[in-house]
Amino acid sequence: MRYLILSDIHANLTALDTVLDTVKGRWDKVVCLGDVVGYGPDPNEVVDRIREIDATTIRGNHDKAGSGLANADDFNPVARNVALWTRDHLRPENREWLEKLPTGPITVDTFMMVHGAFRDEDEYVFAPAQALDSLLDARAQVTFFGHTHLQGGFTLFDNKVGVLHFKPPAGTNFSTLTTDVETTYLLNPGSIGQPRDGDTRSAFAIADLSNNTVEFWRVPYDIEDVQKRMATAGLPEPLILRLSFGR
Ligand SMILES: [Fe+2]
């Protein structure tokens, strides 16, 4: 079974549709690690698309804030501004769908998925010391996580934590990880709608764990197209600009 692993789409329909077009026919089922909305101009269109492709989805912090399930008091002013804008613009049925998203971690087939960390869905896992807790808590060999918008991951083998980086060079689309049976993996597919690792291309993964492979993809999309819609919607300038830098 090949799983398309999406995360942190952040209401960017241009990026999501470009990714879905690019990998058409290469996956059987799709999962989403949260942050379907927030930051971007297309909350309804992206929720519609995720529901249409029947993605098994867990909630992210922006889904909680955008739906009104949580207040956005701990967000920075720019993120809070868009959370409130998102809340105003979501159709009632989409707001309800976001409110009902399950909290990670959950198990899908042979792997697990969580938005942030195992013990706290809102915790950012940037460093090996932070990853260790989740690697020890994992009840599957492979767990996918999001939230940081950084494609990569961590391994636990022989009581040592390792760091994985996946960055296909420009001109190529993906690099492949071959998993080892004695290693535990915490893998981040990166962000579809707001990459933050200096590479502006959408990031995601395709996992074929019965064949021990995970592909880490980068796909360019029409950034100006989504930036124009953000400007028309009156979304904050810093959010529009950062897409041009992948930061
Ligand atoms: Fe996010």
Side-chain angles (χ1 to χ4, degrees), residues 77-98:
V78 167
R80 189 182 313 125
N81 173 320
V82 184
L84 298 177
W85 180 91
T86 300
R87 212 178 286 175
D88 281 347
H89 284 77
L90 277 168
R91 296 199 310 272
E93 73 271 23
N94 282 342
R95 195 180 313 133
E96 194 182 333
W97 182 85
L98 287 166

Side-chain angles (χ1 to χ4, degrees), residues 8 10 35 39 61-62 115 147 149 196:
D8 296 278
H10 283 294
D35 279 2
Y39 296 135
N61 49 322
H62 285 262
H115 184 63
H147 199 32
H149 299 209
R196 293 179 187 163

Side-chain angles (χ1 to χ4, degrees), residues 160-173:
K160 291 189 191 72
V161 179
V163 179
L164 298 171
H165 291 290
F166 304 102
K167 204 163 181 180
T172 65
N173 281 118

Side-chain angles (χ1 to χ4, degrees), residues 70-82:
N71 63 44
D73 290 353
D74 57 340
F75 280 25
N76 65 54
V78 167
R80 189 182 313 125
N81 173 320
V82 184

Side-chain angles (χ1 to χ4, degrees), residues 40-62:
D42 315 307
N44 284 305
E45 294 79 358
V46 166
V47 171
D48 288 344
R49 185 74 77 247
I50 287 297
R51 296 174 71 176
E52 190 183 305
I53 60 177
D54 199 21
T56 300
T57 305
I58 54 174
R59 70 185 191 180
N61 49 322
H62 285 262

Side-chain angles (χ1 to χ4, degrees), residues 7-8 33 115 124-127 130 145-154 163-167 186-192 194-199 203-204 216-218 242 246-247:
S7 191
D8 296 278
L33 312 176
H115 184 63
Y124 291 91
V125 178
F126 286 115
Q130 299 166 304
F145 74 106
H147 199 32
T148 63
H149 299 209
L150 302 176
Q151 192 176 57
F154 302 93
V163 179
L164 298 171
H165 291 290
F166 304 102
K167 204 163 181 180
L186 192 59
L187 300 174
N188 191 327
S191 168
I192 293 287
Q194 195 196 78
R196 293 179 187 163
D197 52 5
D199 184 338
F204 60 98
F216 288 82
W217 282 72
R218 298 308 286 245
R242 72 185 300 176
R247 293 286 182 197

Side-chain angles (χ1 to χ4, degrees), residues 117-136:
F118 262 71
R119 295 180 193 185
D120 179 355
E121 61 179 334
D122 295 338
E123 182 188 338
Y124 291 91
V125 178
F126 286 115
Q130 299 166 304
L132 182 59
D133 277 344
S134 290
L135 285 162
L136 292 172

